[in-house]
Amino acid sequence: GIQVEQSPPDLILQEGANSTLRCNFSDSVNNLQWFHQNPWGQLINLFYIPSGTKQNGRLSATTVATERYSLLYISSSQTTDSGVYFCAGLPWGSNYKLTFGKGTLLTVNP
Amino acid sequence: DVKVTQSSRYLVKRTGEKVFLECVQDMDHENMFWYRQDPGLGLRLIYFSYDVKMKEKGDIPEGYSVSREKKERFSLILESASTNQTSMYLCATRQGRPGELFFGEGSRLTVL
């Protein structure tokens, strides 16, 4: 199966700082999502972004499908941004199974 | 908005008990999934269903079974709970392939 590598594994920021999270895929995917897992364990959808760039408030994401990576940008971070960020992709050869990265643990300090 | 509801947020069960975890979605999605999440192991797929009464094994189906009698409901069953099934269980749904995956709130199960 494909490998999904997320970097960095851990990130500590001061409130107000900007950050970039990266997701690399070992093979092409035709479905890519970013999630935020909050402290209660719920996975919240951030972006469904097989290609291109999307923005939602302080967050934006860019996927370069031909180079098999995606970036998540967080600007003016807030303490509520803390949690684990996951990317996941559906390989071209797979009917159903999304492959998840191990996540980036983000801590935003006041 | 898609709503995926899991029946219990927190459960405590004893070894050997039969455990039912239920998931209900309100968006008429074709596909439904059960994952478990453990520290250091990430999210692992237990079972998925692509239609009513249809199911396929995921990566770790041992010790679990599932039921999908109606399109909106997907149940995960632990026939005889064991301590190594203590985990966070996450239900998810998707309309089709490809498509956006949506998760429920999660059910944290402790087996004593």
Side-chain angles (χ1 to χ4, degrees):
Chain A
I2 69 166
Q3 306 301 313
V4 181
E5 185 179 333
Q6 288 190 242
S7 59
D10 300 276
L11 185 58
I12 300 174
L13 300 173
Q14 287 299 122
E15 205 166 21
N18 302 329
S19 62
T20 302
L21 281 57
R22 186 176 178 107
C23 180
N24 288 334
F25 292 86
S26 61
D27 205 345
S28 297
V29 295
N30 70 349
N31 179 335
L32 195 151
Q33 288 186 245
W34 282 96
F35 299 91
H36 174 218
Q37 189 164 37
N38 63 26
W40 296 270
Q42 187 172 6
L43 280 159
I44 307 296
N45 288 37
L46 296 178
F47 294 101
Y48 174 68
I49 185 167
S51 64
T53 297
K54 290 187 177 180
Q55 179 151 10
N56 184 3
R58 296 180 297 103
L59 273 60
S60 64
T62 295
T63 295
V64 184
T66 53
E67 297 188 20
R68 304 194 301 270
Y69 74 87
S70 185
L71 302 172
L72 178 69
Y73 306 96
I74 304 174
S75 65
S76 304
S77 57
Q78 300 175 359
T79 56
T80 51
D81 294 331
S82 296
V84 183
Y85 290 79
F86 291 99
C87 64
L90 184 68
W92 279 99
S94 170
N95 282 333
Y96 300 100
K97 184 184 158 187
L98 226 61
T99 300
F100 285 80
K102 294 189 182 301
T104 292
L105 174 59
L106 175 64
T107 303
V108 181
N109 293 321
Chain B
D1 282 355
V2 175
K3 187 161 180 62
V4 184
T5 303
Q6 295 186 226
S7 53
S8 305
R9 295 295 300 274
Y10 300 95
L11 302 95
V12 179
K13 298 292 182 180
R14 297 210 173 272
T15 301
E17 280 193 76
K18 190 168 186 175
V19 181
F20 292 87
L21 298 177
E22 295 212 309
C23 177
V24 178
Q25 50 106 352
D26 68 351
M27 286 301 292
D28 203 36
H29 282 181
E30 300 288 338
N31 306 154
M32 297 188 75
F33 305 79
W34 276 106
Y35 288 86
R36 66 176 281 178
Q37 184 180 26
D38 302 285
L41 297 176
L43 279 92
R44 294 180 291 169
L45 182 64
I46 305 172
Y47 267 99
F48 63 88
S49 168
Y50 50 92
D51 203 348
V52 175
K53 296 190 188 293
M54 308 303 286
K55 62 187 179 186
E56 283 200 26
K57 295 179 181 179
D59 297 320
I60 51 164
E62 296 79 17
Y64 302 94
S65 62
V66 290
S67 172
R68 193 165 180 203
E69 297 296 319
K70 293 185 177 182
K71 192 174 186 179
E72 67 270 18
R73 189 180 298 268
F74 191 35
S75 300
L76 180 69
I77 303 154
L78 288 66
E79 294 288 342
S80 178
S82 63
T83 55
N84 63 12
Q85 292 178 310
T86 291
S87 187
M88 174 68 137
Y89 290 89
L90 294 156
C91 174
T93 76
R94 187 175 66 205
Q95 172 55 32
R97 175 191 178 272
E100 192 172 358
L101 193 69
F102 295 89
F103 281 90
E105 310 97 324
S107 297
R108 198 172 292 278
L109 172 67
T110 300
V111 183
L112 302 175

